[in-house]
Amino acid sequence: METIVAALPYLLKGLQVTLYIFVIAVILGFIIGTVIALFRLAPIKILNWIAKIYIDAIRGTPFLVQLFFIYFGLNSLSWISFNSTTAGIITVAINAGAYFAEIIRAGIQSIDRGQTEAARSLGLTGSQNMRFIVLPQAFRRMLPTITNQSIISLKDTSLLSIIGIADLTQQGEIQASATFESFKIWLIVGIIYFIVIYLLTILANFLERRFQLR
Amino acid sequence: MSVIQVKNLRKSFGQLEVLKDINVEIKEKEVVCVIGPSGSGKSTFLRCLNRLEEISGGQVIVNNHDITDPKININTVRQEVGMVFQSFNLFPHKTVLENVTLAPIKVLGMGKEEAEKTALELLTKVGLKEKANGYPGELSGGQKQRVAIARALAMNPKIMLFDEPTSALDPEMVGDVLEVMKDLAREGMTMVVVTHEMGFAREVGDRVIFMDGGFIVEENLPDELFSNPQHERTKAFLSKVL
Ligand SMILES: Nc1ncnc2c1ncn2[C@@H]1O[C@H](COP(=O)(O)OP(=O)(O)OP(=O)(O)O)[C@@H](O)[C@H]1O
Ligand SMILES: [Mg+2]
């Protein structure tokens, strides 16, 4: 018990780092995903290609390789330099962005064409139609899948400990080797992740009910 | 004065030529009904009038705007042309009132208060004022269609296009929607109505156009066309629907 009480402040500090990276990366990832989804659907060939290459490249490579490429690979170039936290945020954001893009594309395409026709026939421009009619409806429909991907991204952040980010997992490693209480420490770390993800699910369910399609 | 002029209009979907040389003029305050068998190109014709379909050839002039001119800002033309769809296409995530105020606020830049005032007047006119704060999902088909009409009218259009507005409705709902359309016609709205309601065409229409196979086969005053059709195809069609 004492080991746990002693270790807990460190673990919670790690949790702070995890959440900090997660929140920023998911917001960035969502923005990237929206832009890439619009690229994918735009009637412009080059944009379609950019989006497709981006999505395929991310989906076709492991997360760790992406992380190493950005942190070690890009950092080895003389004109680029960023610290491990920045590299971590960028990797999670870029990774989530690709998956979000596919979710958002499917969401947009699931909205009945009649919605766009009604909006355009009223004189709304293409982008007004996206902003006020299509995306709000698509977003509601996508919420469960978005939650899923966010949870995956949250779990992915635990891999960032490998490049030395002091996140929850890294703090777990430190505490486990310092206390020789691997079983208890990793159990606690697992429980903390579980609680966070559980809270995330509750938040998502709440939003889903709030935004329920009538 | 003609508010719609269609000259040699052609429209193809890939290899399929759906409209072949359509020529028609529609005058201000005229109510023109378009009838014809399924697949004859009625919807496509209507949708060319506000360029929901890209036009393959010919010229379409609406309110003195040549909408076949690639340089034209089609959004400004569409502001003056309301459209009502068979499947209503209300915005399900917006309240009834918001459905009606959205375009005036976002497109015309109207203030919220003014837009809501106009919207409530229009909803009163179509008999749905008390539903203003409900959502489309709570309405019956006939009520949805009346909201859709109010939504189009909120832009204060010069022309209204209707594509089979009552075809998706239960029979007992049809009357309410037709009533609203008759009121509009009486107020002098220019209307183009694709319809299967021959009674409506006869009673309200100033002219009926019969389309078949991508052509206008025959057009005439409703009474003339219905009681004395000139073409075999018109006769065959009327004998099936009347
Ligand atoms: N987007 C499209 N792509 C390809 N073909 C189309 C498209 N829209 C319509 N068509 C075809 O064009 C022809 C005319 O269609 P249109 O919808 O104009 O007929 P309609 O007279 O309105 O028929 P209905 O009474 O069934 O509504 C049909 O053969 C239809 O299959
Ligand atoms: Mg049709």
Side-chain angles (χ1 to χ4, degrees):
Chain A
M1 199 62 213
E2 280 146 56
T3 26
I4 293 171
V5 173
L8 209 52
Y10 296 100
L11 296 182
L12 291 180
K13 223 156 153 223
L15 175 63
Q16 247 178 29
V17 174
T18 294
L19 290 179
Y20 170 74
I21 291 176
F22 168 71
V23 169
I24 295 182
V26 159
I27 291 171
L28 282 179
F30 193 75
I31 295 168
I32 295 173
T34 309
V35 172
I36 295 294
L38 293 176
F39 275 22
R40 188 95 159 69
L41 296 170
I44 302 169
K45 277 260 154 34
I46 307 172
L47 296 183
N48 301 163
W49 275 103
I50 293 174
K52 199 145 171 21
I53 290 169
Y54 171 71
I55 292 167
D56 286 350
I58 298 297
R59 286 211 295 201
T61 52
F63 181 83
L64 260 188
V65 173
Q66 294 162 15
L67 179 64
F68 289 170
F69 177 76
I70 286 171
Y71 185 53
F72 298 119
L74 288 187
N75 250 347
S76 72
L77 303 175
S78 56
W79 43 278
I80 289 183
S81 120
F82 34 59
N83 61 25
S84 56
T85 309
T86 311
I89 290 173
I90 292 175
T91 310
V92 176
I94 284 181
N95 181 276
Y99 292 99
F100 279 143
E102 282 298 88
I103 295 169
I104 295 165
R105 178 190 59 80
I108 290 174
Q109 285 180 327
S110 79
I111 302 302
D112 180 33
R113 239 184 53 160
Q115 292 290 303
T116 294
E117 291 180 351
R120 296 306 302 272
S121 77
L122 287 164
L124 272 75
T125 63
S127 58
Q128 285 176 325
N129 169 46
M130 268 293 155
R131 263 176 61 205
F132 303 123
I133 306 301
V134 177
L135 284 179
Q137 292 184 64
F139 179 69
R140 280 152 221 230
R141 221 169 265 188
M142 294 175 317
L143 213 60
T145 356
I146 287 176
T147 312
N148 249 334
Q149 179 53 44
S150 303
I151 289 172
I152 293 172
S153 290
L154 178 69
K155 292 181 190 170
D156 281 345
T157 61
S158 83
L159 290 166
L160 301 180
S161 60
I162 294 173
I163 59 166
I165 293 178
D167 74 331
L168 177 54
T169 302
Q170 171 88 328
Q171 293 289 1
E173 272 172 48
I174 294 170
Q175 292 306 314
S177 53
T179 60
F180 300 105
E181 294 270 20
S182 268
F183 179 81
K184 285 184 193 160
I185 295 292
W186 286 117
L187 183 66
I188 293 295
V189 170
I191 289 172
I192 296 176
Y193 272 117
F194 180 84
I195 291 173
V196 171
I197 288 170
Y198 191 72
L199 291 177
L200 213 60
T201 318
I202 290 178
L203 175 71
N205 286 341
F206 170 75
L207 287 177
E208 239 169 276
R209 250 175 291 121
R210 265 303 297 270
F211 288 134
Q212 195 106 96
L213 269 189
R214 326 250 163 178
Chain B
M1 196 197 91
S2 293
V3 284
I4 299 177
Q5 284 166 277
V6 180
K7 290 178 200 153
N8 308 110
L9 168 64
R10 286 185 300 104
K11 168 67 189 174
S12 309
F13 294 105
Q15 296 294 323
L16 181 70
E17 192 170 37
V18 175
L19 298 180
K20 308 159 184 164
D21 197 28
I22 301 279
N23 292 281
V24 70
E25 292 209 6
I26 293 169
K27 288 190 280 296
E28 204 175 346
K29 303 194 174 190
E30 206 179 2
V31 177
V32 175
C33 294
V34 183
I35 62 172
S38 181
S40 57
K42 306 181 297 293
S43 298
T44 308
F45 164 66
L46 199 69
R47 293 155 58 85
C48 283
L49 299 182
N50 65 352
R51 235 177 68 189
L52 275 188
E53 301 290 356
E54 281 305 324
I55 291 160
S56 309
Q59 199 180 34
V60 178
I61 297 172
V62 176
N63 286 334
N64 296 320
H65 306 289
D66 180 356
I67 65 168
T68 33
D69 178 354
K71 286 195 294 281
I72 194 134
N73 180 354
I74 192 66
N75 297 317
T76 49
V77 182
R78 284 175 179 157
Q79 291 168 24
E80 303 170 352
V81 184
M83 188 165 209
V84 175
F85 302 84
Q86 181 175 353
S87 50
F88 327 126
N89 299 340
L90 293 181
F91 307 131
H93 60 304
K94 304 262 179 213
T95 65
V96 167
L97 189 67
E98 288 166 346
N99 263 274
V100 183
T101 57
L102 180 98
I105 292 174
K106 302 295 182 194
V107 177
L108 301 179
M110 195 184 277
K112 191 166 176 241
E113 243 168 68
E114 190 191 347
E116 287 184 347
K117 192 168 152 271
T118 325
L120 284 172
E121 281 166 20
L122 287 167
L123 287 172
T124 310
K125 183 169 158 181
V126 301
L128 288 168
K129 186 175 175 224
E130 67 285 3
K131 299 281 184 190
N133 294 315
Y135 280 85
E138 301 157 6
L139 304 180
S140 74
Q143 293 172 329
K144 280 184 188 151
Q145 196 59 299
R146 285 183 278 151
V147 173
I149 293 173
R151 176 177 69 178
L153 291 176
M155 291 297 283
N156 201 12
K158 298 204 178 82
I159 301 168
M160 286 284 284
L161 309 176
F162 294 84
D163 191 357
E164 301 198 24
T166 57
S167 295
L169 301 180
D170 293 333
E172 68 268 25
M173 306 279 178
V174 171
D176 291 344
V177 173
L178 291 183
E179 244 357 275
V180 170
M181 291 170 63
K182 281 178 200 168
D183 281 345
L184 260 186
R186 246 175 260 133
E187 288 163 19
M189 177 65 77
T190 309
M191 294 162 64
V192 185
V193 187
V194 175
T195 186
H196 290 307
E197 296 289 334
M198 299 303 151
F200 176 84
R202 198 164 202 151
E203 185 188 336
V204 186
D206 295 312
R207 187 159 39 127
V208 176
I209 291 177
F210 171 68
M211 282 183 71
D212 194 11
F215 290 105
I216 293 179
V217 176
E218 185 166 351
E219 57 176 303
N220 213 331
L221 304 173
D223 282 337
E224 284 295 312
L225 190 123
F226 287 122
S227 52
N228 190 16
Q230 297 299 307
H231 290 257
E232 283 310 317
R233 281 193 281 177
T234 321
K235 285 178 195 162
F237 174 75
L238 289 177
S239 70
K240 263 182 255 162
V241 296
L242 284 183

